[in-house]
Amino acid sequence: MLLDSDAESDVAYELCQVVGRAILPYRSSGDFGTAFFFQGGDDPVGESLLTAADLVGAPGGELGLRSSVTEPAGVAPAVVAEAEIVPGWARFPGDGVAVLPTAGLHRYAGDGGWRWRVQPVPAEIAAGPEVVARLGADASSAFVLALGVREDGSRPLEVAIERVVRDGDAVLITTQLPPGYVGAPVFIVQAGATGEVSPYCLGLVLPGVGEHPVATFDRIRAVLPATPGDV
């Protein structure tokens, strides 16, 4: 669904309110990206951190901790080294996705005397195959929530309002995104059977030149129950 500019601004604002605290900055070997919390069900065990597989696995990876996603204030460190989190990332290069079960993140926080205060993307809005199938060659509005990279090194929360299309089995954002956006969640809106418009998390941004493939949630769901490892 392609929205007018006012409606796009309204959707972008609402997404920041609902899932703005799902988003974390990620950095590894000079590459900047974004990761986000996803809640796969009511059970806390179903919570994962998701990003693009190409970002993770190299030595020196670290998650940034925004002040809004931890409590009490001033206790959590500025970054969490990837090497300190067990279990670590499960990489699925064939799908472009990396998954980090968050049990280790919660243990790390508890050991440090702080806790997470996040807004995971809920399973209810994760796009199913039918949502992906409704995309076509005509552009739809897409909303990318990411931690961009400013010249001073800061990583502010940003919303890029872009266009997404489906070309065969590929789903693409039709422009080049700024540094820091790989791994970020992509949202769209579609009308349901009753005509009511609903938001969906389509998937996450993969690396690209001139345009970016999207790892859609039908692919992401397929690897969430899997055990860690490169497959």
Side-chain angles (χ1 to χ4, degrees):
M1 176 179 288
L2 186 62
L3 305 176
D4 62 38
S5 58
D6 288 342
E8 287 180 335
S9 295
D10 289 343
V11 171
Y13 175 81
E14 288 300 322
L15 287 171
C16 286
Q17 304 311 302
V18 175
V19 294
R21 287 189 282 111
I23 317 297
L24 292 181
Y26 184 81
R27 183 177 67 84
S28 178
S29 300
D31 291 329
F32 294 91
T34 295
F36 66 99
F37 284 85
F38 173 69
Q39 181 62 56
D42 294 334
D43 187 343
V45 174
E47 186 184 71
S48 302
L49 197 66
L50 306 177
T51 194
D54 284 3
L55 286 176
V56 306
E62 60 184 26
L63 289 168
L65 299 187
R66 301 162 56 209
S67 60
S68 61
V69 303
T70 68
E71 57 184 9
V75 177
V79 298
V80 177
E82 180 180 300
E84 297 184 72
I85 305 303
V86 179
W89 289 101
R91 295 181 67 253
F92 302 93
D95 297 291
V97 178
V99 181
L100 179 68
T102 59
L105 290 175
H106 289 289
R107 282 195 299 270
Y108 181 89
D111 291 344
W114 56 277
R115 57 190 174 273
W116 293 94
R117 180 176 172 264
V118 298
Q119 301 165 299
V121 173
E124 291 76 13
I125 69 168
E130 72 285 353
V131 173
V132 178
R134 285 196 290 266
L135 295 172
D138 293 334
S140 295
S141 299
F143 307 84
V144 185
L145 269 65
L147 283 304
V149 183
R150 297 284 173 87
E151 290 185 2
D152 62 2
S154 62
R155 303 289 308 273
L157 179 64
E158 300 174 349
V159 183
I161 301 175
E162 303 293 349
R163 300 291 178 260
V164 65
V165 299
R166 183 165 62 89
D167 182 6
D169 291 334
V171 175
L172 303 168
I173 293 173
T174 60
T175 191
Q176 183 76 43
L177 292 169
Y181 277 61
V182 169
V186 182
F187 298 86
I188 59 172
V189 294
Q190 286 187 356
T194 63
E196 183 178 354
V197 175
S198 300
Y200 294 95
C201 186
L202 183 60
L204 62 82
V205 177
L206 297 179
V209 178
E211 60 187 12
H212 289 268
V214 176
T216 53
F217 249 104
D218 50 351
R219 294 165 61 184
I220 294 171
R221 283 187 182 277
V223 304
L224 285 177
T227 53
D230 289 350
V231 296

